[in-house]
Amino acid sequence: MEQRLRVIFERNGYPIIEGEENVQLRLDSLQFISIMCDVENEFEVAVPDELLTGKDLDTFNDILEAVRELCK
């Protein structure tokens, strides 16, 4: 799951460097929405609107944990 999410970030022009999974992301709103759309398609989940604000998804690991919860 983590590797698939890394690929999504890379496809969206934001590669995650090993060891920087807890560094605050500096995504613009377009990158964030694009990544969330790719997450929905890749993992066949629906991202709830409250997650689309991005305020609780500051790092790669935050997004990874959210995806894990959505896939349960």
Side-chain angles (χ1 to χ4, degrees):
M1 185 175 292
E2 180 178 348
Q3 189 57 38
R4 290 166 60 193
L5 188 58
R6 285 179 183 276
V7 170
I8 289 171
F9 271 79
E10 191 163 325
R11 277 195 318 241
N12 282 280
Y14 203 94
I16 301 298
I17 298 167
E18 194 71 35
E20 294 188 2
E21 295 85 357
N22 284 316
V23 173
Q24 184 175 6
L25 299 170
R26 288 186 167 56
L27 300 172
D28 63 34
S29 57
L30 223 97
Q31 284 175 311
F32 181 76
I33 293 299
S34 181
I35 287 170
M36 290 296 107
C37 287
D38 286 353
V39 163
E40 287 183 326
N41 292 329
E42 177 71 24
F43 296 100
E44 298 179 355
V45 296
V47 176
D49 289 343
E50 59 268 10
L51 288 182
L52 294 178
T53 64
K55 66 179 182 177
D56 294 325
L57 303 176
D58 293 331
T59 69
F60 175 82
N61 280 341
D62 291 341
I63 294 176
L64 178 59
E65 186 59 35
V67 170
R68 285 183 175 143
E69 286 297 314
L70 290 170
C71 290
K72 283 185 178 181

